[in-house]
Amino acid sequence: MKTPLWTLILPTAAGLACAGANPGGPSEGAPELTALDAIFADYAGSEGPGCAFAVSRDGQQVMSRAYGMADLEWRVPNTPGTVFEPGSVSKQFAAAATILLALDGRIDLDDDIRAYFPEMPDYGEAVTVRMLIHHTSGLRDWGSVAAIQGWPRWSRVHSHKHALDIASRQRALNYEPGRYYSYTNTGYNLQAMLIERVTGQTFDEFSQERIFRPLGMTKTQWRDDFTEIVDERSVGYRRGEDGEWHMLMPFENVHGNGGLLTTVGDLLRFTHNLDTGEVGGPEFVRLMHEEGTLDSGWKTGYAGGLRVGEYKGVREVSHGGSTAAYRAFLTRYPDHGVAVSLMCNVAEADSRGLVHQVAELYLADAMTEEPRADAGGADVDPADVAAFAGGYRDTRTGQYLELTADGSSLLMSGGPGGPPLAATSATGFASATGVSIAFEGPANAGERPAGILNMPAADGVRIEPVGAFEPTSADLADYVGAYHSEEAEVTYWFAVEDGRLVFRDRYGDGAALDPLYPDAFGRESGTIIFRRDATGRVTQASLSEGRVWDLRFERVQ
């Protein structure tokens, strides 16, 4: 393993003293450098991109190291001072700006967003600013709609004009505001635009004035012009099909949802302020940590661009991010005064896993082993568990999920995924990560009951059993034709090729579809459901995927 690069980071003008790694070894109480370096061994060479990380205790930086190359063409190495993009880690900065504006009295978090965006449709119920922060607005993710249109975010220079245009064309929400949680970048781009409309400043100007400069974040800015020259910026890379490194950069101007340019040290300065309230005060800190609450009263665990939970028995406030080939994770353990920031310019990096390995070295005495996922505690017959196995339909979205049996546990695919759901009773199953299913009764004589699926971010999701679907040639012929979506401004053509239903967009791109249940087919990113009129004729197609639910396509031929 090659020796990684390190630098000594000097105290900043804001008085946030930061001690970096040094030849004399780590600070008192810190893990050995060899243990830290071992975590990043895969990124330590000079032949590929890598990562930088930093650790603080009570706001004082105690470690910073970097690995791999920032620029492979010019052979520039990463350092702890290298500028990366942290993807959705940026969301907490946008939420902070919005909350500061509310504390100024210039907006109210419970304002209807149409007060600021009259071009948005009236959905019959108010979508509030607070819902934008907590991902409970029901607004579809504009980038997902753009991808459905045929232009994924990495393929075209998108701007806030495009984001707002797509959002304003959505005639429907994913769900009634406040009923569910669905992660959507739209809400965070709207926050950036809201601040500009209210203050007359650019979002970067407001952020510099109210957040970055007061906290001494001297190398942080928003990427609102991707053509701007940024000193010490790394280039994002991923492996191509040829096995070689290829650039993958976020060539777009949307920001607020992501688009922050920063360093691992600056990230630590910001996250420490979420403990101290140096900028914003106690009410700012409270609102940043206020979790979203659904109409049912269920708390989602998502606060002001922050996920509130725990890791190995330790309270954790964190957020991950990815954009183009950049990967990042910022986490804080408030009860122990420890924070870890990490950013990488390599798409293959598991940023969350890397940060947690570092955190475990610093908090080894406080962390406990994760509870066993199979420790459900119920004595059940594996045959009874196997009776629940099969396909189910998520009644919120129509999307398909499949349960398979593994002894006394159920494994889920197509849904939240994750570890096994262990039996807690004859009809109940739960995982260590907060996912549970309560069936309405036992599975008898081949009849599977419906169930209620609860997840950390949503409760009361009804799932219903569906049978296998093996369409005949005549069945497939029902779906053949052209279907247009005004909301996505795209037409899909469905045809039968080699005995399978396929779809194509206007560019000829598409794929074969897999039958899931009657009138429902799966594509890589979601589920297409064909809808019939009273006569049984197929008149619509509905597309549901992770961040866009029930996008309608009208049959035009």
Side-chain angles (χ1 to χ4, degrees), residues 5-11 18-23 61-62 64-65 79-81:
L5 296 154
W6 55 267
T7 61
L8 177 64
I9 299 181
L10 298 175
C18 301
N22 58 70
Q61 187 168 301
V62 297
S64 62
R65 292 178 80 74
T79 76

Side-chain angles (χ1 to χ4, degrees), residues 539-554:
T539 58
Q540 288 183 328
S542 167
L543 173 59
S544 286
E545 53 183 47
R547 300 177 183 179
V548 175
W549 304 357
D550 194 20
L551 180 69
R552 296 296 179 100
F553 290 71
E554 298 292 334

Side-chain angles (χ1 to χ4, degrees), residues 40 43 49-53 67 78 82-90 153-154 234-239 245-250 259-260 262-264 267 319-330 340-355:
F40 296 91
Y43 308 102
C51 305
F53 80 90
Y67 308 81
N78 280 320
T82 296
V83 173
F84 297 81
E85 286 206 31
S88 288
V89 172
S90 311
R153 283 176 48 196
W154 49 265
S234 66
V235 175
Y237 297 95
R238 68 173 172 183
R239 289 280 188 189
W245 292 112
H246 291 260
M247 290 186 291
L248 181 61
M249 295 290 287
L260 196 71
T262 191
T263 65
V264 291
L267 288 179
H319 208 293
S322 63
T323 184
Y326 294 106
R327 300 292 182 267
F329 203 83
L330 175 62
V340 184
S341 61
L342 174 137
M343 290 185 285
C344 303
N345 61 328
V346 51
E348 292 79 2
D350 174 12
S351 57
R352 182 178 187 272
L354 291 168
V355 161

Side-chain angles (χ1 to χ4, degrees), residues 441-460:
N444 295 320
E447 293 294 326
R448 292 177 291 131
I452 299 298
L453 172 65
N454 290 327
M455 299 170 283
D459 68 325

Side-chain angles (χ1 to χ4, degrees), residues 405-554:
D406 182 18
S408 62
S409 297
L410 290 173
L411 306 177
M412 185 183 301
S413 63
L421 286 82
T424 56
S425 69
T427 58
F429 298 82
S431 77
T433 57
V435 178
S436 67
I437 299 176
F439 289 100
E440 295 176 349
N444 295 320
E447 293 294 326
R448 292 177 291 131
I452 299 298
L453 172 65
N454 290 327
M455 299 170 283
D459 68 325
V461 179
R462 184 178 175 82
I463 59 173
E464 297 177 342
V466 292
F469 182 38
E470 298 179 1
T472 65
S473 297
D475 292 330
L476 294 178
D478 283 350
Y479 311 119
V480 172
Y483 298 74
H484 182 74
S485 169
E486 288 291 340
E487 293 166 296
E489 294 187 308
V490 69
T491 299
Y492 280 176
W493 286 265
F494 293 89
V496 177
E497 298 178 7
D498 299 325
R500 299 184 68 184
L501 188 68
V502 300
F503 80 95
R504 304 283 180 215
D505 63 16
R506 60 187 166 199
Y507 307 107
D509 296 327
L513 301 172
D514 298 317
L516 299 175
Y517 58 86
D519 286 342
F521 293 79
R523 55 180 257 170
E524 183 178 359
S525 59
T527 302
I528 293 176
I529 303 168
F530 291 94
R531 302 186 183 276
R532 300 175 184 269
D533 63 15
T535 69
R537 179 178 179 271
V538 175
T539 58
Q540 288 183 328
S542 167
L543 173 59
S544 286
E545 53 183 47
R547 300 177 183 179
V548 175
W549 304 357
D550 194 20
L551 180 69
R552 296 296 179 100
F553 290 71
E554 298 292 334

Side-chain angles (χ1 to χ4, degrees), residues 11-36:
T12 68
L16 298 173
C18 301
N22 58 70
S27 62
E28 183 179 355
E32 294 292 333
L33 295 181
T34 52
L36 291 166

Side-chain angles (χ1 to χ4, degrees), residues 287-372:
L287 289 170
M288 284 294 292
H289 292 85
E290 178 184 72
E291 296 178 51
T293 304
L294 304 182
D295 290 344
S296 65
W298 187 272
K299 291 189 178 298
T300 66
Y302 198 94
L306 303 165
R307 297 190 186 277
V308 179
E310 66 174 44
Y311 178 70
K312 290 195 172 183
V314 177
R315 188 162 63 101
E316 179 180 53
V317 180
S318 66
H319 208 293
S322 63
T323 184
Y326 294 106
R327 300 292 182 267
F329 203 83
L330 175 62
T331 190
R332 177 167 46 91
Y333 303 96
D335 297 335
H336 300 273
V338 172
V340 184
S341 61
L342 174 137
M343 290 185 285
C344 303
N345 61 328
V346 51
E348 292 79 2
D350 174 12
S351 57
R352 182 178 187 272
L354 291 168
V355 161
H356 280 160
Q357 289 183 68
V358 173
E360 287 171 22
L361 292 177
Y362 281 84
L363 295 170
D365 294 338
M367 289 183 172
T368 60
E369 289 300 316
E370 296 282 11
R372 285 170 53 87

